[in-house]
Amino acid sequence: MSEASLSQEHHTFPPDPAFAAQANGTADLYAAADADYEAFWAQQARDRISWATDFEQTLDWSNAPFAKWFVGGTLNAAYNCVDRHVEAGNGDRVAIHFEGEPGDTRSITYAELQREVCKAANALESLGIGKGDTVAIYLPMIPEAAVAMLACARIGAPHSVVFGGFSADALNTRINDADSRLVITADGGYRRGAPSALKPAVDAAIAVGDNPVEKVLVVRRTGQEVAWDDSRDVWWHDVVDAASDQHEARPHDAEDPLFILYTSGTTGKPKGIFHTTGGYLTQVAYTNSVVHDVHPETDVYWCTADIGWVTGHSYIVYGPLANGATQLMYEGTPDTPHQGRWWELIEKYKVSILYTAPTAVRTFMKWGHDVPQKFDLSSLRLLGSVGEPINPEAWLWYRKWIGGDRCPIVDTWWQTETGAIMISPLPGVTTLEPGSAQKPVPGVSAQILDDEGQPFTEPEKVGYLVLTKPWPSMLRGIWGDPERYQQTYWSRFGPKYYFAGDGAKYDADGNIWLLGRVDDVMNVSGHRLSTAEIESALVSHPAVAEAAVVGASDETTGQAVAAFVILRSEAAADGGGPDIVQELRNHVAKEIGPIAKPRSIMVVTELPKTRSGKIMRRLLKDVAEGRAIGDVTTLADSSVMTLIKEGMASGAE
Ligand code: WT7
């Protein structure tokens, strides 16, 4: 079949009987969860997690939307992810095969991981960190990132991982919001063939004003020069390596916070989403088993996400390690030193399960299928997708050129807030529909509502995705802001529905199709960015009077940031021009991080606004996507769009 015709015919893929025969997921799970969902989750919790004290109540929803799961239960997440596998006789099993970008490698068994986590836990305690203290982690993709997270979990200190690509300013905000006394970082990491520094961003983040940081624990990764403050900075190899490898994993309450992770919302201020211990661990272990179909004795699993995002938390650290899986962790980018790097790694480690993002798949499509074809990918048996809708064309390409026309693909919808996979086919059970995440996993309930909040099931009608029952790995709130939690998620359609912020529809077979965000949140390469956050970064530049940002569709990254700015009169008199555009792009990178850099910035003299002063982003989106401009009748001044279009035509950037 030619590649063109691949995307034109409607294909579905029934489960392969051989795959189904060995699959962890079964059709019975749906029936069991439907019959009694609390009993279903109680059983998942007891089967998959080792509890120090059994729980007395599965769910307490009496104070909705503030949930308590597995009430009265106690457990230690690090014990569940590490020690119990050693106790079960699997200490020699590799937990993490690490491949650094320069090609350095380490294979860490569960027994070694246990010693490392114990040492790190002792080191944290020697630095004065104890239960309830939050720890900021700002690290590259190296095993110490997982060790640091597990050490925090072990002592009951919630971690707040900040993606290494975020700027000093973004790090500063997160450190202050979570009140972190300790930051764990590295001198740097390897990126595109060269060392890239991290510690200077930490230094800058805590140089300004009052901040809670007392100590900075630094991993030596690249060996590059770093500025050093003797009273504050400590080398990881000094304190962790010297610490005892014995550490008692004391149990924590099921509802003790496990971590905070910041994500973009519709306002300029990122939200500290926090998750607790028992419910989160239960659902990540369950989904990693039934959706990724991990068989810990035989699989080599690879999730390509960064640990700085929720995907890395749930499906590099907690899910696969709770299940005792063997996984690959890779530090670098897919094209360093060549475009076949991922496929070379799959061949080398015999990776059997690959979990990645549609933006990566579309990039590989662009590079051409002859790149993966040069490698032996026959070890693969399951492929996964996460972060944004995967278009059917990319899905089919992924199946054919990476999955050898044999691997099931699971398109998994979830969010930082949901903690774990919510909507996804079950491989071996579901007949796969390319481009659709299909059905809530057993134990999860979703609906689509219209503008009036009425549920409907008619096909092809577009509405809002809501979740209709609490679930174990649900966020427990926004750190320090219970009001915002209630407002953002539980008020749009009343207190009974969790509002996900995504548009969705059903098809004629009852499959759910996710259609992207319905709020002012963009999705660039599977990363969430808020229009308001980038707008406020732009207006913090002295040359900018006003800014509007939209997500414009982009062939590779899904969406790209398109900005429109009005310059202050002094700057405009200087001519504005290409220099200011470049300067503003760099300014956004400095304020938030390189991922937020606008693809385009257009200098305009007016922005389209309604009579009440609201910017009509819809019209700017039309411009940015090169479409005919839509309805302008609600504009206060309808000539504005003509001016903007003329600016476009005359080649303004
Ligand atoms: C938003 C959540 C889930 C971890 C990575 C992103 C979008 C995520 C899918 C998918 C369509 C998806 C949604 C969601 N999204 N997965 N399979 N199909 N859309 O986590 O940064 O919290 O973003 O990503 O819009 O709301 P996040």
Side-chain angles (χ1 to χ4, degrees), residues 511-533:
N511 292 307
I512 297 175
W513 292 68
L514 280 311
L515 303 173
R517 302 290 306 189
V518 295
D519 50 13
D520 291 331
V521 172
M522 294 169 288
N523 190 324
V524 178
S525 297
H527 299 145
R528 231 159 109 170
L529 296 169
S530 111
T531 55
E533 205 178 344

Side-chain angles (χ1 to χ4, degrees), residues 42 59 70 115 200 210 234 255 261 273 344 368 380 430 444 510 536 551 574 616 640:
L59 169 65
F70 310 127
R115 290 194 286 274
D210 269 355
V234 195
E255 284 297 338
L261 187 58
I273 303 300
E344 180 179 77
L380 286 171
T430 314
V444 169
S536 74
D574 285 351
M616 292 192 69
V640 170

Side-chain angles (χ1 to χ4, degrees), residues 311 387-389 411-416 502 514 517 523 528:
T311 309
E388 53 173 320
D411 173 8
T412 61
W413 178 90
W414 57 294
Q415 310 177 296
T416 305
D502 278 32
L514 280 311
R517 302 290 306 189
N523 190 324
R528 231 159 109 170

